[in-house]
Amino acid sequence: MTTSRVVSTGEDHETVLDNATAAAEKLAATSPADIAGLLRGVAAELDAHTEELVPLAQRESHLPEGRLRGELVRTTFQLRLFADTVEEGAHLKATIDTPDPDWPTGARPDLRRTVLPLGPVLVFAASNFPFAFSVAGGDTASALAAGCPVVVKAHPGHPELSRRTAEIVAGALTSAGAPEGTFALVEGTEQAKAVLLDERVRAGAFTGSNTAGRALFDLACSRNSPIPFYAEMGSVNPAFVTPEAAAGRGAEIARGYLDSYTLGVGQFCTKPGLLLVPSSVAQRFRDVLIPEVEQRAAAPMLNDGIENAFRETLGALGDHAAVETLVSGRRSEGEVGPSLLYTSARELVDNREELTAECFGPASLLVGYSDTDELLEAAGVFTGELTATVHGDEEESIVAPLYRTLRARVGRLVWNGWPTGVSVSHGMQHGGPYPATTAPIHTSVGTAGIERFLRPVSFQNAPRAVLPEALRDGNPLGVPRRVNGRMETPEQG
Amino acid sequence: MTTSRVVSTGEDHETVLDNATAAAEKLAATSPADIAGLLRGVAAELDAHTEELVPLAQRESHLPEGRLRGELVRTTFQLRLFADTVEEGAHLKATIDTPDPDWPTGARPDLRRTVLPLGPVLVFAASNFPFAFSVAGGDTASALAAGCPVVVKAHPGHPELSRRTAEIVAGALTSAGAPEGTFALVEGTEQAKAVLLDERVRAGAFTGSNTAGRALFDLACSRNSPIPFYAEMGSVNPAFVTPEAAAGRGAEIARGYLDSYTLGVGQFCTKPGLLLVPSSVAQRFRDVLIPEVEQRAAAPMLNDGIENAFRETLGALGDHAAVETLVSGRRSEGEVGPSLLYTSARELVDNREELTAECFGPASLLVGYSDTDELLEAAGVFTGELTATVHGDEEESIVAPLYRTLRARVGRLVWNGWPTGVSVSHGMQHGGPYPATTAPIHTSVGTAGIERFLRPVSFQNAPRAVLPEALRDGNPLGVPRRVNGRMETPEQG
């Protein structure tokens, strides 16, 4: 008996969901310490298989070894950080209101509120992070940390890696004592849709394109019982260079921009797809950038589907009447070099739909703005972005209004840096209004992502024996609790 | 100039949404103390108009004066409790990660995360609480507390009260310094749908029937930019009486049940629509209940629409082959008396869809179960309920498995009490899996409801001047914060 099943395309998924449903009840009764043990068990086994997994990932993703090693470290660190978070227990949102006969809305009973796992979660893996956003990635870690069984839809871009990772995760979960049905892998779009539409699945999570994310969100909402569907989709991640920053350190900013938009062959959802600079210095940016872009090596993209989509969206952008192609990336057999395009902020405002479409790959659009009024107007065209970046000097008067405009439109605002590189941490927000995501009040990176899979329940006048431990008198778990409206944080070791 | 506009059916709503959009930006920059001031200002003005509002509510809702006075107290208490909560600041979820060059996923920047208001919210008022779930009710209070402008769709069941309440709310907001556009009332279904589909609206909240709630949820999801839509819908709120409780205090439980399901003419979303008792004592419950039900006075329902729907759903339930009508409520001109029906747990399991449909009004279904296995099986038929109730003795072995089964299906579990009476408090959860709500991880009553309208944003390496105050060094707002993963709770007065 193993904890997982790997189900191939077309095979019946009934057993997977029967097992996940049975596991859900057992996991809901599992202590935070034991949940943490499962996460750490998975992390340890993945680490132990580094020398097997990294070459497999290289072969299927065309990503370089160093990047993949780092990504696997990120993946297992994430699992361990979530384990620590689960043990600390703030995610349980334990809240206790003691009885109050004088409560103004009528005598208040003993009310104790905490969260319980939603139930089986379907995770759609992404192709561009074969470890960190795939089988054992952030969504899987979040759902397991919440105590939810996970069914992963494998990304077809790295099938062998997906299967092998799933075997290792499943084995680790079994060894760590997880109930049968805690984890499974399914393959194939039709099978995944059938699972998503099954009433036993209680939430979905996705990282990928707008087209696929929206289609799956629509399916999740169309069910007899709609479920939360957390899709992290496309983003153009505009970056804004103020006049002072452009004047003072334009060349440095230009090189940082190039490094950021070509990192990982431009295959990051946080790639800066636009850089807005004063048109008065745009020529200098072009002079610095063009030779450097031309010299950058071409590299293979993740897979043919990604490459074809990139060529198509880049072609449409380059063909737009308002866009000038400065460097058309070399394209040899199976390799793609970086591209650079140019337009004006006026054209960006007037053609916002076409010019703010995500172009997933090593291409970006340099944009010249005439003055800070136009800069602000351009900032206002965005509706939902994972990130925006500002390069500026603190004293400039444009900074405050620019931040006010941008913070209403993005999940993360970067100052004098670059949006690629998403720290797995407590303070991270990887999300944003639609179309960046379908769930603007949540994050898919960082420990706050766990709450997506937890559902509050209040216990009124409950006998002690049936209360979740987090709510019992004396706080046996030692978790932060809100008692009669006041936060009580236990001593921390 | 006033803060609000009351827009009648068919009138153009463009101005309302233009103003709400302008207000959104100003409110997002308003301090928690000033937001609290707005809430308290509204509470004070509503209190000051009690003698005007209560008679108006009586005339339009047919609810008794005492109930309405209590409900207005609840409404203004709720506003003040939310003001206190906003000032305390835990809802801001302030999180600070200081820079860490050795962070395992790569050097960690300074990351500071808090929440910002989502933007204009459309609130659909309910008819059964003309104060507490209407124009100035829980959804409005939650959205205002989050710093969101509110557009309320008036319920046609109490149009004059809605307009007058809106005028008072708008006047109070203006007096308290709220920006133009913070509040507006719209009337008419078509107008409300147009507002819901407008891209300027960023979230919706609803209390009412499953049919209307699902239709509006589907509209919200169908938008070019889908938005969160928090619908609190129907529920049958099953109550379970264990063998020991039935034997020891059956008569007392029977009377409590009758009081609960007939309270407010059965027009509560938490009305216990089912009471499961051992079939061995079902006859005793019937003997106690039937004469009492027959003696209860008839009373008018909220409006003709509610009464017609009640007669229809009760008729269908009473006509079901598995259901015996014990008391068919008297129905005189414009008045309805309580009804009582009977079936077995076996029939409930076999006809779950028909027998667990909500019947909104003074009727309930007594259900006899043969043994505790059948009791557990019956508990398993529910998929999403606002509440479930257990009457039992702590020592009984059935209590633990019954709680395990029910807690996976409901938002609130009541022990030896009744579900009607929903305390406005920190520990309250008024929600549940679909079909109780469309948003299982949220509550529509209690201070935790504020988070529905707040969206996290991370500031990376941000200059101090553009940081929200909650994230600034030295914690000038004195709010609870998570710093490098540890909760820090300031001294509380």
Side-chain angles (χ1 to χ4, degrees), chain A residues 9-10 13 153 187-197 219:
Chain A
T9 311
H13 60 266
K153 153 67 168 62
E187 297 181 321
T189 302
E190 291 314 308
Q191 171 122 293
K193 285 185 184 170
V195 173
L196 180 60
L197 289 171
L219 269 189

Side-chain angles (χ1 to χ4, degrees), chain B residues 187-199:
Chain B
E187 297 181 321
T189 303
E190 290 314 309
Q191 172 122 292
K193 284 185 184 171
V195 173
L196 180 60
L197 290 171
D198 192 291
E199 299 288 318

